[in-house]
Amino acid sequence: MPGLPGGRVVLLNKPYGVLCQFTSADGRPTLAGLCGVPGVYPAGRLDADSEGLVVLTADGALQAAITDPRRKLPKTYLVQVEGLPDEPALARLRSGVALADGPTRPARVRSIDEPPDLWPRTPPVRFRRRIPTAWLEIELTEGRNRQVRRMTAAVGFPTLRLVRRRVGPWSLDGLAPGHWREEPVAPRVLSSAAPKTSPSPADAKRPAAPRRSRRPR
């Protein structure tokens, strides 16, 4: 199979249980079993127990633009939680939650009905019979390790199912689990994700990451 043409990305709907990488030392399922386009790699991570959109690219500069937290590229998640979050809990998620690695940035959060076009998960989500569940739509502009799960747990509503629906201008719409398609890179991806001139209050409270030297190309 030929490599990915310039100016394009691969959008893949990662199923539950698949590692967001192309190799596994212990034989667990990886992206290699789903996408055979050579030379691409994920622009950002998605936990094995999460589902949904993964953007793959062969362009190192584009990968950096998508994942650089200073660029604040929005990522949207559909989140099923245990319990029924009230308005104070939603307000805490919106304004920022104190986590062990510092406060989160403000987020867009709203209650939604169960998405009608969402596929059944394999294996099914394990529910507690007497506890109701609810769905939230959460849009973040940062991507810490297991951030959504830690945020909902911090306000008392553990995440049961997590599906990433959007990354910047790219959407999961029309992609079945395990399927992928190519799409062009819109010019606004880089322009709309330009670094901000001043950090958010959450950023200011976290120590700056050490700078890494780049290898010459």
Side-chain angles (χ1 to χ4, degrees), residues 67-73 95-97 101-106 140-144 147 194-209:
T67 59
D68 187 342
R70 296 172 300 174
R71 295 180 179 269
K72 299 182 173 67
L73 193 69
S95 61
V97 179
D101 52 354
T104 62
R105 289 176 182 165
L140 304 179
T141 56
E142 57 183 339
R144 301 190 223 171
Q147 180 173 343
K196 308 300 180 181
T197 56
S198 58
S200 69
D203 294 335
K205 295 179 182 179
R206 291 199 299 269

Side-chain angles (χ1 to χ4, degrees), residues 11-44:
L11 306 183
L12 183 145
N13 186 349
K14 188 189 82 65
Y16 178 90
V18 174
L19 299 177
C20 195
Q21 57 197 50
F22 281 90
T23 60
S24 171
D26 56 5
R28 297 173 66 187
T30 71
L31 302 180
L34 304 175
C35 179
V37 179
V40 297
Y41 47 93

Side-chain angles (χ1 to χ4, degrees), residues 85-97 104-111 136 151 155 157:
D86 53 16
E87 188 54 36
L90 297 180
R92 287 182 61 194
L93 292 172
R94 294 182 187 120
S95 61
V97 179
T104 62
R105 289 176 182 165
R108 293 184 178 181
V109 181
R110 67 186 182 104
S111 296
L136 304 175
M151 288 174 64
V155 299
F157 300 92

Side-chain angles (χ1 to χ4, degrees), residues 108-121:
R108 293 184 178 181
V109 181
R110 67 186 182 104
S111 296
I112 59 173
D113 294 331
E114 181 176 355
D117 55 346
L118 199 60
W119 55 91
R121 201 189 79 174

Side-chain angles (χ1 to χ4, degrees), residues 108-165:
R108 293 184 178 181
V109 181
R110 67 186 182 104
S111 296
I112 59 173
D113 294 331
E114 181 176 355
D117 55 346
L118 199 60
W119 55 91
R121 201 189 79 174
T122 304
V125 177
R126 297 180 64 179
F127 302 100
R128 289 197 283 180
R129 187 186 310 175
R130 298 182 180 179
I131 300 180
T133 69
W135 283 89
L136 304 175
E137 183 182 80
I138 299 179
E139 180 184 295
L140 304 179
T141 56
E142 57 183 339
R144 301 190 223 171
N145 183 45
R146 302 182 71 81
Q147 180 173 343
V148 172
R149 296 178 186 276
R150 291 192 291 149
M151 288 174 64
T152 65
V155 299
F157 300 92
T159 291
L160 299 174
R161 188 178 182 188
L162 179 62
V163 180
R164 185 158 65 196
R165 187 159 209 168

